[in-house]
Amino acid sequence: MDLQNEPFSGIWPIPSGEGWLCDIANYLKFNVGLDKSNIAVISGGISGPQSVDGMQNFPDSAMECTAIDVIGIHGYFKKDDATTAGTSWAKMFVPGNTLTARAKGKKGEGKLLLVEEWGYVHSKFGHFYKKEAIFDQGNALNYRGIPWVSEIYVY
């Protein structure tokens, strides 16, 4: 169950209300009883689309909150002259990069990373590339063992 879809969308760094994430996660997990029902609490793509070297979807408050089971990642990447649409996803999940490095050593470690929102972004290459761009992104995530859901947006 998502805390809220993109609760701080477009806001980075997150303002002083960041503690809200863990407060709501704890309420859902332990007061509503999601822990007893084995229903995971998902962070919900905290600050909107993820940049490759950023941390919009996994600030310390989400990574260290033991009530958050899944870090929901949102990202929108397109083909350019030098890379495919999947290249950014591949770079994001290289061992030691932002996501994997930030997950290690946190008190809330053991969280599932889940790409819950991604999509085709139109580029100068036109709609001819659309099917290939969607395949490239899904393939990059599959190859690295990162689960994703098929909530695909087209921009």
Side-chain angles (χ1 to χ4, degrees), residues 129-146:
Y129 183 73
K130 182 178 175 182
K131 288 180 185 176
E132 188 176 337
I134 291 170
F135 176 83
D136 285 346
Q137 292 181 75
N139 193 45
L141 295 168
N142 289 343
Y143 184 73
R144 281 151 187 82
I146 304 298

Side-chain angles (χ1 to χ4, degrees), residues 5 8 28 35 62 73 87 115 117 130 139 155:
N5 186 46
F8 296 103
L28 289 172
D35 61 327
I73 305 163
T87 301
V115 175
E117 194 174 296
K130 182 178 175 182
N139 193 45
Y155 290 97

Side-chain angles (χ1 to χ4, degrees), residues 64 93 102 110 130:
E64 294 180 355
F93 294 106
R102 287 183 61 77
K130 182 178 175 182

